[in-house]
Amino acid sequence: MRVRPTLRWTPTGDLPPATTDPEPVVDALRAGGVLVLSGAGISTESGIPDYRGEGGSLSRHTPMTFQEFVGGAAARRRYWARSHLGRRTFGRALPNAGHRAVAAFGRDGLVSGVITQNVDGLHQAAGSEGVVELHGSLDRVVCLSCGRMSPRSELAERLEAANPGFSPVAAGINPDGDADLTDDQVVGFRVVPCAVCGGVLKPDVVFFGETVPPQRAELCRRMVREADSLLVLGSSLTVMSGLRFVRLAAESGKPVLIVNRDPTRGDRHARARVGLPLGAALTTVAGRLGVTVEEEEAAA
């Protein structure tokens, strides 16, 4: 079953107010067994914009849906041209203080697991282990015909060879790794097929309008059921794929804590929403817990 994508959500006036005191998060982590659910907002301090926050990419960019992608060669050319160019910037992003704090909490045994809605791999780069990528990863490519999975680096080399000199100037980069390019800028871009069967290649990510694989969704539900509390970091929870876990935690009587500057669709289910920037909030939390967060790595 495929669903109509929910791209926007408008907060109502009856949501509980946010706090600027991260102590509820400190208390939850001190007790242990915290499951982290992260969204695009945790990666903004790494230079990757989010969808819906201030200046979010939805104000200028509508993500491609699964139906568009499979519906025609022109849409796939537009997607791969934008994604190929965007990868050059996206791939240089480094974990920020928020990612490093989550990894530190995991090393100290305070976090039971991490579910991320992001496709950027920054939690793993920061050192978090056992991360469940709810929406997949841009580092992998899958053939829609034969099912072969291959590394994105392999496809990047083939696209470079097929499109020598392709280097248009983009208006910006989006959370899904796409560069903002006009239709004129992608004319003539050559898309390459599966190297094995000649089929259509797709990034191994869940597009808008596509559903999370059932086994992955069930794994996440089990992680929620086994956790003592749920900590949401940088997600508006507009998309049901993430909101369902907040609802499940709340229905199970587990505390839900949210760190997000803007109101979220899950606020009414939360014990508290901390309305602070993630890096600063989680660094403060780590300090109060005596957890050592690794220093930022220098860019290569």
Side-chain angles (χ1 to χ4, degrees):
M1 175 181 177
R2 296 195 173 96
V3 297
R4 181 180 179 83
T6 300
L7 300 181
R8 292 175 175 84
W9 166 77
T10 302
T12 60
D14 62 345
L15 292 176
T19 178
T20 56
D21 183 3
E23 194 62 24
V25 177
V26 175
D27 292 340
L29 284 164
R30 185 178 285 120
V34 176
L35 175 63
V36 169
L37 171 64
S38 70
I42 199 171
S43 294
T44 56
E45 293 174 40
S46 294
I48 299 174
D50 63 9
Y51 283 112
R52 302 173 183 86
E54 184 177 352
S57 68
L58 282 182
S59 63
R60 65 178 190 278
H61 163 78
T62 299
M64 181 169 291
T65 66
F66 178 79
Q67 290 77 12
E68 288 177 294
F69 186 86
V70 299
R76 291 192 290 274
R77 179 175 65 246
R78 184 169 67 253
Y79 174 81
W80 280 119
R82 292 180 169 198
S83 185
H84 180 58
L85 182 67
R87 184 177 184 272
R88 299 172 187 171
T89 299
F90 201 79
R92 291 195 294 268
L94 296 174
N96 61 54
H99 299 109
R100 297 196 304 275
V102 170
F105 299 148
R107 285 193 298 271
D108 281 25
L110 307 180
V111 166
S112 64
V114 177
I115 300 170
T116 184
Q117 295 172 283
N118 301 338
V119 295
D120 53 35
L122 292 179
H123 277 298
Q124 296 93 318
S128 288
E129 298 181 355
V131 177
V132 177
E133 296 172 309
L134 185 64
H135 295 153
S137 172
L138 284 174
D139 281 344
R140 301 184 297 269
V141 178
V142 61
C143 174
L144 295 181
S145 295
C146 70
R148 176 180 180 258
M149 198 78 72
S150 57
R152 179 65 178 270
S153 57
E154 175 185 300
L155 176 62
E157 291 179 1
R158 295 179 63 206
L159 289 174
E160 289 284 356
N163 299 277
F166 180 74
S167 189
V169 177
I173 303 295
N174 301 305
D176 52 9
D178 282 5
D180 275 335
L181 298 176
T182 66
D183 288 344
D184 289 342
Q185 288 176 301
V186 305
V187 170
F189 186 85
R190 294 183 58 200
V191 177
V192 298
C194 174
V196 173
C197 74
V200 170
L201 295 176
K202 172 185 173 291
D204 187 31
V205 300
V206 178
F207 279 19
F208 282 93
E210 193 176 8
T211 57
V212 174
Q215 286 185 317
R216 191 183 304 163
E218 179 52 36
L219 169 61
C220 293
R221 284 191 289 269
R222 186 169 72 246
M223 293 171 72
V224 174
R225 288 192 292 265
E226 294 175 353
D228 293 323
S229 59
L230 180 65
L231 175 59
V232 180
L233 302 176
S235 177
S236 68
L237 299 170
T238 296
V239 179
M240 185 56 68
S241 62
L243 179 62
R244 71 182 64 181
F245 303 127
V246 169
R247 289 178 173 175
L248 175 60
E251 290 166 0
S252 304
K254 301 176 189 293
V256 175
L257 291 308
I258 299 174
V259 183
N260 199 65
R261 283 189 292 185
D262 299 318
T264 83
R265 199 176 171 193
D267 281 6
R268 67 184 72 257
H269 303 290
R271 177 167 296 182
R273 175 172 65 86
V274 180
L276 293 173
L278 270 163
L282 294 183
T283 299
T284 298
V285 168
R288 293 186 186 180
L289 290 168
V291 172
T292 301
V293 179
E294 292 184 355
E295 296 294 323
E296 181 179 6
E297 294 182 14

